[in-house]
């Protein structure tokens, strides 16, 4: 199909879709409120709907008072029953697919329900919206002259009791229309290969001679793939291989630690980066502007949002608020109610709003992945911003990192311990350490207060990790692939101590 015609069709779809987007931009709280009651009405005759008498809920206040906040552990038994083929438990229509997720690196697997509605009205709708927003902002785009190189998870779908489970990416690939494969590379067969290391080379072999115009995948694992492509081809940058490459759609982990490395292998000032915010539980937000780090919260994908201010999270003063009550620059835990039957579910992510008209956000971290052993409230956003600036100052580059507290012992004060794998290490590690501490103090007033005169916290300690340490650690745990992430910050020393031991034994 000629590109002008493709762009015309996309433009037509865009105009039609923009009318709906304008509706939730203009009336965000009304759209969310209407969505909530649609979800309640749809599920009123389910087991959970009868338990909480959904049919008599007539206000958000009643909804919030009647239905408790839930975690995966709270839902696990119902989800297991659904996986065994029982119907009408938490959603009226049969759930055929379950996205297997281990969160970050916990051994325990989660099986997140994926309904037909969440596939069509959330995940696939978001993919269309992402392309439409990109084309609207870049009218001269030649995206459709070539293919999108997609990098998903590393597990195929498995059938059990008449239902299927696997990586979300496998579920999405399995349910895509047949024509979608023609615009993507690698093939479905290679995309769903189980062995990650063999899959990497198979992707390189299959994509190196394609006309790739876009990339899509998690930044950390995509970088591994792209460096493999360069090594195999002997080229210096990706435009020598794919001259028409114009955009990278990324999500899953923060892009901040990787952006400078991408600019080295993609050395064009007009190359575009577009961020998305999605998870096994749903697709939440999309970058809707060129050269922006803010994401537009999508309010009509069948997901009703609530938020818990993190300054009181997990305390007796914890409160849950709807979208209409959020404020900018406050860190919130995200609670969702979805068209796959998750009710007031804590997804474990934290975000902050950069704007409330429209509602735009930045992902700031995870509820479990922060350091607050001494009241310092260090979040991933602080860590990544600080590391990037310190790397710029010291001409160093980071591959991966993790950090945890050193707990007080006797008269010894506490501190933070960092383990960082560098692509390009700093010439002076002591200076890097000092700059990191200084930058964290400038970004986080709680950390600064605890570091004042070494009152509670001593200077942090930074160790250099050996090459491929984090990769080997994930491989040891059978967790290679796009679904698995390094725990950046932790209140526990579990991950750090394992990594420190591995760092000295190989």
């Amino acid at each position: 199909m000629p590109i002008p015609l493709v762009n015309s069709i996309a433009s037509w779809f865009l105009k039609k879709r923009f009318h709906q987007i304008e509706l939730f931009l203009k009336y965000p709280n009304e759209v969310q409120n209407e969505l909530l009651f649609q979800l309640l009405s749809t599920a009123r005759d389910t087991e959970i709907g009868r338990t909480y008498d959904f049919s008599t809920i007539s206000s958000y206040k009643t909804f919030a008072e009647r239905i408790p906040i839930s975690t995966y552990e709270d839902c696990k038994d119902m989800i297991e029953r659904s996986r065994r083929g029982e119907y009408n438990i938490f959603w009226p229509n049969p759930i055929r697919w379950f996205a297997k997720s281990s969160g970050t690196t916990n051994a325990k697997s989660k099986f997140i329900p994926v309904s037909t509605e969440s596939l069509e009205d959330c995940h696939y709708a978001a993919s269309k919206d992402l392309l439409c927003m990109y084309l609207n902002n870049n009218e001269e785009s030649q995206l459709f002259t070539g293919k999108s190189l997609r990098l998903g998870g590393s597990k195929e779908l498995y059938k059990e009791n008449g239902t299927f489970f696997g990586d979300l990416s496998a579920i999405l690939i399995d349910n895509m229309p047949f024509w979608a494969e023609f615009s993507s590379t690698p093939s479905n067969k290679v995309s769903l290969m189980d062995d990650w290391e063999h899959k990497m080379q198979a992707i390189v072999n299959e994509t190196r001679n394609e006309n790739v115009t876009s990339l899509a995948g998690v930044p950390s694992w995509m970088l591994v793939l792209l460096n493999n492509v360069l090594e195999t081809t002997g080229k210096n940058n990706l435009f020598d291989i794919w001259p028409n490459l114009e955009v990278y759609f990324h999500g899953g982990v923060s892009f901040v630690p990787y952006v400078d490395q991408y600019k080295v292998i993609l050395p064009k000032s007009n190359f575009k980066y577009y961020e998305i915010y999605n998870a096994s539980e749903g697709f939440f937000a999309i970058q809707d502007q060129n050269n922006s780090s803010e994401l537009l919260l999508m309010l009509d994908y069948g997901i009703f949002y609530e938020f818990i201010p993190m300054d009181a999270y997990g305390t007796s003063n914890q409160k849950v608020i709807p979208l209409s009550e959020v404020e900018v620059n406050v860190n919130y835990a995200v609670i969702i109610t979805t068209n796959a039957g998750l009710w007031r579910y804590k997804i474990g992510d934290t975000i902050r709003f950069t704007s409330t008209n429209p509602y735009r956000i930045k992902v700031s971290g995870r509820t479990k992945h922060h350091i607050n052993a001494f009241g310092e409230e260090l979040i991933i956003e602080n860590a990544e911003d600080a590391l990037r600036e310190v790397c710029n100052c010291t001409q160093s580059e980071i591959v991966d990192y993790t950090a945890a507290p050193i707990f007080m012992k006797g008269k010894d004060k506490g501190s933070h311990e960092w383990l960082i794998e560098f692509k390009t290490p700093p010439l002076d590690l002591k200076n890097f350490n000092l700059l990191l501490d200084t930058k964290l103090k400038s970004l986080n007033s709680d950390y600064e207060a605890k570091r004042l005169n070494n009152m509670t916290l001593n200077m942090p300690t930074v160790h250099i990790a050996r090459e491929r340490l984090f990769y080997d650690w994930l491989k040891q745990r059978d967790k290679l692939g796009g679904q698995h992430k390094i725990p950046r910050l932790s209140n526990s020393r579990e991950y750090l101590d394992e990594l420190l031991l591995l760092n000295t034994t190989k």
Side-chain angles (χ1 to χ4, degrees):
M1 186 181 293
I3 294 307
L5 180 57
V6 173
N7 283 347
S8 295
I9 294 172
S11 178
W12 172 83
F13 178 85
L14 177 70
K15 288 174 182 175
K16 183 180 178 183
R17 174 61 181 139
F18 264 23
H19 175 70
Q20 298 167 316
I21 292 175
E22 285 170 355
L23 186 66
F24 78 67
L25 291 177
K26 190 172 183 180
Y27 304 106
N29 300 308
E30 291 83 352
V31 166
Q32 277 279 281
N33 200 52
E34 182 180 345
L35 172 59
L36 172 61
F37 290 105
Q38 286 175 353
L39 294 171
L40 289 168
S41 176
T42 301
R44 64 187 176 185
D45 294 323
T46 61
E47 182 178 310
I48 197 168
R50 292 191 298 271
T51 299
Y52 294 108
D53 197 7
F54 283 4
S55 61
T56 64
I57 296 177
S58 58
S59 68
Y60 168 72
K61 184 173 183 291
T62 305
F63 168 76
E65 289 173 346
R66 191 175 296 180
I67 302 172
I69 300 295
S70 64
T71 63
Y72 183 79
E73 286 68 30
D74 299 320
C75 310
K76 184 175 65 174
D77 291 344
M78 287 193 298
I79 289 173
E80 285 304 307
R81 288 170 54 200
S82 182
R83 288 186 65 217
R84 292 194 295 267
E86 285 191 53
Y87 298 159
N88 210 41
I89 301 171
F90 45 80
W91 193 246
N93 300 324
I95 306 287
R96 293 185 57 214
W97 304 283
F98 293 83
K100 186 179 180 182
S101 167
S102 58
T104 303
T105 54
N106 293 338
K108 187 190 298 180
S109 292
K110 299 178 181 180
F111 295 90
I112 306 299
V114 180
S115 66
T116 301
E117 292 88 345
S118 64
L119 268 180
E120 296 295 334
D121 301 334
C122 183
H123 292 288
Y124 289 145
S127 298
K128 295 172 189 173
D129 283 352
L130 175 62
L131 290 175
C132 283
M133 289 178 182
Y134 176 76
L135 291 173
N136 183 60
N137 293 334
N138 302 279
E139 294 180 355
E140 302 304 314
S141 168
Q142 297 295 301
L143 200 63
F144 295 112
T145 61
K147 295 186 177 183
S148 174
L149 194 167
R150 64 184 181 205
L151 182 61
S154 56
K155 301 290 185 184
E156 60 184 335
L157 285 179
Y158 299 94
K159 188 173 183 179
E160 190 175 86
N161 302 315
T163 61
F164 298 86
F165 68 90
D167 287 354
L168 176 65
S169 57
I171 294 172
L172 296 176
I173 289 170
D174 192 60
N175 288 280
M176 278 181 180
F178 73 92
W179 49 263
E181 186 173 1
F182 295 122
S183 62
S184 302
T185 189
S187 62
N188 288 358
K189 180 181 178 181
V190 170
S191 292
L192 297 176
M193 284 177 67
D194 195 37
D195 187 303
W196 181 259
E197 292 180 324
H198 284 100
K199 174 180 172 175
M200 282 282 102
Q201 194 56 49
I203 293 176
V204 173
N205 294 339
E206 197 167 290
T207 61
R208 57 187 292 185
N209 295 317
E210 293 279 10
N211 177 25
V212 173
T213 54
S214 67
L215 307 170
V218 176
S220 51
W221 294 108
M222 180 62 80
L223 191 60
V224 173
L225 170 64
L226 297 178
N227 282 326
N228 280 346
V229 171
L230 292 173
E231 185 177 346
T232 300
T233 59
K235 302 295 185 182
N236 292 320
N237 70 72
L238 294 172
F239 300 119
D240 290 338
I241 306 163
W242 301 310
N244 299 314
L245 189 59
E246 63 177 75
V247 61
Y248 173 30
F249 301 109
H250 61 87
V253 300
S254 171
F255 193 49
V256 172
Y258 306 103
V259 62
D260 291 331
Q261 295 179 64
Y262 274 90
K263 287 180 178 178
V264 171
I265 60 177
L266 292 163
K268 280 186 182 178
S269 59
N270 62 347
F271 185 80
K272 303 292 191 302
Y273 298 92
Y274 262 62
E275 185 172 355
I276 60 173
Y277 173 29
N278 68 332
S280 298
E281 295 87 352
F283 207 121
F284 309 126
I286 296 173
Q287 179 182 327
D288 64 322
Q289 306 168 100
N290 283 341
N291 306 313
S292 173
S293 59
E294 300 178 31
L295 308 180
L296 181 68
L297 190 64
M298 305 303 288
L299 303 179
D300 62 351
Y301 286 169
I303 300 173
F304 178 77
Y305 293 97
E306 297 173 272
F307 305 92
I308 302 175
M310 282 300 290
D311 60 0
Y313 181 84
T315 72
S316 58
N317 295 322
Q318 174 179 293
K319 62 177 181 176
V320 185
I321 61 174
L323 183 67
S324 59
E325 295 181 23
V326 301
E327 300 175 4
V328 297
N329 295 323
V330 174
N331 209 30
Y332 294 104
V334 182
I335 310 296
I336 58 172
T337 293
T338 78
N339 54 5
L342 297 175
W343 298 93
R344 306 198 81 202
Y345 181 87
K346 287 198 286 191
I347 62 173
D349 288 345
T350 62
I351 60 105
R352 62 181 176 84
F353 285 86
T354 57
S355 165
T356 55
N357 185 25
Y359 286 100
R360 288 200 175 98
I361 65 168
K362 286 188 177 182
V363 181
S364 54
R366 300 276 295 170
T367 54
K368 291 182 179 178
H369 297 154
H370 63 280
I371 303 180
N372 192 32
F374 313 99
E376 66 273 46
E377 287 288 357
L378 185 68
I379 63 174
I380 291 175
E381 187 179 29
N382 300 151
E384 311 238 287
D385 287 346
L387 285 170
R388 187 179 181 200
E389 290 202 28
V390 174
C391 283
N392 286 338
C393 290
T394 58
Q395 286 79 54
S396 53
E397 287 183 276
I398 287 176
V399 175
D400 264 314
Y401 74 91
T402 194
I406 296 175
F407 294 103
M408 295 177 179
K409 189 175 181 180
K411 293 182 179 181
D412 294 335
K413 294 174 182 174
S415 64
H416 292 176
E417 190 168 14
W418 297 72
L419 182 60
I420 303 175
E421 181 182 342
F422 290 95
K423 182 180 179 182
T424 306
L427 295 175
D428 185 342
L429 185 62
K430 185 176 180 181
N431 182 53
F432 183 97
N433 196 354
L434 177 62
L435 290 173
L436 176 61
D437 181 53
T438 302
K439 190 59 190 175
L440 288 172
K441 285 190 281 190
S442 73
L443 291 169
N444 184 316
S445 58
D446 291 320
Y447 178 86
E448 182 182 34
K450 301 304 180 291
R451 283 283 296 119
L452 182 65
N453 297 323
N454 295 338
M455 181 169 50
T456 305
L457 286 176
N458 283 327
M459 173 79 73
T461 300
V462 177
H463 305 289
I464 295 181
R466 64 168 173 80
E467 187 178 357
R468 289 172 58 94
L469 172 69
F470 291 93
Y471 186 94
D472 290 343
W473 184 65
L474 288 173
K475 184 177 181 179
Q476 192 179 78
R477 290 167 155 246
D478 191 27
K479 291 184 179 296
L480 293 178
Q483 295 289 100
H484 305 296
K485 306 156 192 172
I486 299 297
R488 299 305 196 192
L489 305 177
S490 177
N491 262 338
S492 160
R493 290 189 57 85
E494 175 190 357
Y495 304 129
L496 181 63
D497 284 341
E498 283 185 17
L499 283 157
L500 286 170
L501 180 61
L502 190 62
N503 199 41
T504 60
T505 56
K506 280 197 177 183

